[in-house]
Amino acid sequence: PTVTGAVTFTGTFEFASAAVGTKSIGISNTFQNLKVTTPAVDGTTSLTFSGNCTITGTLTTTDGGSTSRRVLIASNLTGTQRTLTVATNSLINTDFRDIVAAGTASWTFGLGYGDLGNNSGITFNTSTLYWIGGTGNWSDGTKWSTSSGGSAANAIPLYQNSVIFDAGSNTGTNPFTVTVNGTVSAPSVCNDFSTGGAGGALDGTMTLAFGSTGFIAFYGNVTLPATNFAISASSGSGILLQGATQKTFTTNGVNLSAVNIAINGNAILGSALTFTGILSQPTLNSVFDTGNYNISCATFQALGSNAKTINLGSSTITLTATTALNFTVGITLNAGTSQITCSGAGPYIVTGK
């Protein structure tokens, strides 16, 4: 549904649908009260503004009963800010992008409120979160703490929260599994991903398990440990590299199994990359730099007509699938001295150029 401008609404205007989707508000609208219903299933309902908006009463998002059921308040144009002047907030599990916050409402939030970037006047909680208690699901707020081995934060990582797995993450020295239970439409998220630090290196083997549908989006640097760490995944799962500025993805020799990797931002490798899934680059203005490290995967694809850049340097790219290389238009390919080897049976290349 869409509300066009410029209109003044008295009483409470409510977007009552509990389905995942986008609600749009046009330019220069004024509301007494504005309420958005959080999805009834895991996912995000987006409330987008194509102009500035004033709410003289309360801006409300409802409780969907899960931290994975969220509302995004955002500009309709990524990178273009909209000003929200609000008297009072009553928000839960809410994320923001391209918003200038104004008015008498409180714009200081604790854990559970996400910063997708280019916001002004909003204070987000940027605490690093530590995994605790051994085996569990990423979306379980009782498995995260604001200190190594500490008490449960009852919150999950969001876009601005880095995560650390260390010697305080498991019970004793027992192995443990962290299940990524985000989906392609509602992925698990974090900023930086690392292990060790002041809490000590992993002292039991950690498995990051994606199953057949698990997805995680990294908005920061990723550093996997060379020991005591494994990834379990099948072909329906995915890693999304989202950082708008260049972020480093370092596996330290860990085989990423059958997970698929999508580069939606600006990424550079910090070590060689080995996995049996698909490496893709679908997003407008995304940049991928191999860092001169070698890659082995099934298929390397850059689809769609969006402009994107690939820097191969001196890397050797080994592709094992029949459809080995699949590039369409809009790509700036800086090949350098790289070599692409297609090792699959009867491989072929698809290109839009």
Side-chain angles (χ1 to χ4, degrees):
T2 299
V3 178
T4 58
V7 181
T8 297
F9 296 87
T10 58
T12 297
F13 187 97
E14 180 177 2
F15 290 104
S17 172
V20 172
T22 297
K23 284 75 174 173
S24 302
I25 294 179
I27 60 173
S28 303
N29 287 285
T30 298
F31 297 85
Q32 183 177 358
N33 300 299
L34 180 61
K35 184 177 181 180
V36 183
T37 299
T38 300
V41 297
D42 289 357
T44 297
T45 284
S46 298
L47 176 65
T48 64
F49 294 85
S50 57
N52 300 331
C53 184
T54 298
I55 300 167
T56 59
T58 303
L59 173 63
T60 301
T61 57
T62 64
D63 187 353
S66 168
T67 54
S68 298
R69 301 173 185 179
R70 312 191 62 79
V71 172
L72 169 64
I73 296 175
S75 168
N76 67 317
L77 296 175
T78 301
T80 300
Q81 289 183 317
R82 309 299 187 195
T83 298
L84 298 187
T85 303
V86 182
T88 305
N89 279 334
S90 179
L91 305 174
I92 186 169
N93 296 328
T94 303
D95 308 317
F96 299 86
R97 192 203 72 229
D98 299 312
I99 295 298
V100 177
T104 58
S106 173
W107 295 102
T108 298
F109 298 114
L111 291 167
Y113 298 82
D115 178 11
L116 271 78
N118 198 32
N119 297 298
S120 302
I122 306 176
T123 301
F124 295 96
N125 188 308
T126 59
S127 296
T128 295
L129 293 179
Y130 296 78
W131 185 264
I132 57 172
T135 294
N137 292 331
W138 186 283
S139 63
D140 184 353
T142 67
K143 307 302 290 188
W144 297 101
S145 175
T146 55
S147 61
S148 175
S151 57
N154 294 313
I156 62 173
L158 294 175
Y159 317 92
Q160 72 275 10
N161 301 120
S162 296
V163 299
I164 295 178
F165 301 84
D166 61 14
S169 293
N170 52 337
T171 302
T173 59
N174 292 323
F176 66 105
T177 298
V178 178
T179 299
V180 175
N181 57 337
T183 63
V184 64
S185 59
S188 303
V189 300
C190 69
N191 192 3
D192 293 344
F193 179 107
S194 63
T195 63
L202 290 169
D203 57 4
T205 299
M206 170 184 168
T207 299
L208 190 65
F210 288 80
S212 59
T213 59
F215 272 77
I216 189 168
F218 295 117
Y219 285 78
N221 300 310
V222 177
T223 304
L224 306 182
T227 58
N228 275 342
F229 186 87
I231 282 184
S232 171
S234 58
S235 59
S237 60
I239 290 173
L240 311 175
L241 303 183
Q242 301 287 141
T245 58
Q246 188 179 78
K247 306 300 181 183
T248 303
F249 187 70
T250 305
T251 66
N252 283 316
V254 174
N255 189 313
L256 302 186
S257 184
V259 73
N260 299 303
I261 300 175
I263 300 155
N264 295 323
N266 187 333
I268 184 171
L269 294 183
S271 65
L273 184 60
T274 301
F275 63 114
T276 59
I278 297 171
L279 177 63
S280 65
Q281 190 172 347
T283 305
L284 173 66
N285 295 328
S286 57
V287 179
F288 176 52
D289 193 320
T290 64
N292 300 315
Y293 290 104
N294 296 337
I295 299 173
S296 176
C297 62
T299 299
F300 186 11
Q301 63 184 24
L303 305 179
S305 59
N306 296 327
K308 52 186 71 76
T309 301
I310 301 172
N311 301 316
L312 297 183
S314 58
S315 300
T316 296
I317 315 295
T318 302
L319 306 173
T320 61
T322 300
T323 307
L325 194 67
N326 191 355
F327 285 179
T328 54
V329 297
I331 300 167
T332 299
L333 179 62
N334 299 311
T337 59
S338 63
Q339 176 177 308
I340 297 177
T341 300
C342 301
S343 63
Y348 61 91
I349 296 172
V350 179
T351 176
K353 291 194 174 185

